[in-house]
Amino acid sequence: MTLSTLELCQSAPMIPVIVINDLAEAVPLAEALVDGGIKVLEVTLRTPVALDAIREIIASVPGAVVGAGTLKSAQDVSDCVAAGCAFGVSPGAPAGLMEAVAAEHFPFLPGCNSPTEAMSLADAGHEVLKFFPASAAGGVPMLKAMSAPLPDIKFCPTGGVSLDNAKDYLALPNVVTVGGSWVVPGAQVMDGDWDAIRDLARETAIALGNR
Ligand code: 3PG
């Protein structure tokens, strides 16, 4: 079943931004996150093993809802659809990328950080937008200001979001979920400390409200 981006975001206390360097980490990392209550996963296309990692997680971690992040081109869209990604995310919304997203009917969170960009993307039918880089682009005050004239445009702020400030974002009426890398700290992943990742995911899911 294909979930809309709004349904995906509503089901996620947060969406972890994941960078996988070693393919062997993919499945145990995803299992730890899902065990901890974080099920919607964004595996970024920033490493050569990213698409293989996505395929392995989809094949081996049935509880995970696996999407891809850092999509930049039409080829990235084709690759992600072929790999079976449930959704895609981008830091921006260049024309070539968005044409491919539309042609594939691919559930997608395009990136933006201004009212004009948000209005254009909402007009094009995107239900949820990635607000990026959230803290550098004005954070909670900026999103709060946008909610007054544009209450129907929903966001997933990402970039500088942490367990300390996530609740401030989630309290806004135009924020459906948040994204961030804090549940996948590099040191724990490199040490294979999956229990620590699971505990961090659980702490996060409980703090932000299990969905
Ligand atoms: C990213 O694309 O790397 C995300 O914006 C993650 O940002 P964070 O590391 O500040 O959570």
Side-chain angles (χ1 to χ4, degrees):
M1 183 180 66
T2 304
L3 293 176
S4 71
T5 54
L6 186 60
E7 290 167 329
L8 285 165
C9 290
Q10 285 172 334
S11 73
M14 61 84 66
I15 300 176
V17 176
I18 301 168
V19 178
I20 293 179
N21 288 296
D22 177 354
L23 188 55
E25 293 167 349
V27 167
L29 173 61
E31 283 173 341
L33 292 168
V34 170
D35 278 357
I38 305 284
K39 299 185 176 62
V40 180
L41 311 180
E42 175 190 333
V43 178
T44 58
L45 301 186
R46 297 183 201 174
T47 64
V49 300
L51 284 166
D52 284 336
I54 287 167
R55 282 187 275 267
E56 287 201 5
I57 297 168
I58 291 171
S60 307
V61 190
V65 179
V66 189
T70 324
L71 275 74
K72 294 189 282 192
S73 67
Q75 185 64 50
D76 289 341
V77 175
S78 311
D79 289 345
C80 288
V81 170
C85 289
F87 66 99
V89 185
S90 179
L97 174 68
M98 299 315 292
E99 282 160 19
V101 164
E104 297 276 6
H105 303 288
F106 186 40
F108 201 71
L109 282 83
C112 71
N113 61 29
S114 76
T116 297
E117 291 173 313
M119 291 162 75
S120 299
L121 291 166
D123 274 353
H126 294 282
E127 290 181 295
V128 186
L129 312 177
K130 170 169 170 160
F131 181 66
F132 178 82
S135 63
V140 168
M142 174 71 163
L143 284 166
K144 191 172 181 183
M146 286 214 271
S147 75
L150 305 170
D152 296 333
I153 304 184
K154 306 296 180 200
F155 295 95
C156 169
T158 307
V161 182
S162 66
L163 193 48
D164 289 335
N165 63 17
K167 279 189 179 169
D168 299 332
Y169 283 101
L170 289 166
L172 297 173
N174 56 346
V175 170
V176 218
T177 190
V178 298
S181 62
W182 80 84
V183 289
V184 192
Q188 271 88 348
V189 173
M190 283 189 307
D191 286 352
D193 191 352
W194 311 125
D195 287 346
I197 301 280
R198 187 197 56 229
D199 291 348
L200 197 50
R202 184 165 294 152
E203 181 191 1
T204 293
I206 289 169
L208 302 186
N210 268 310
R211 292 169 165 190

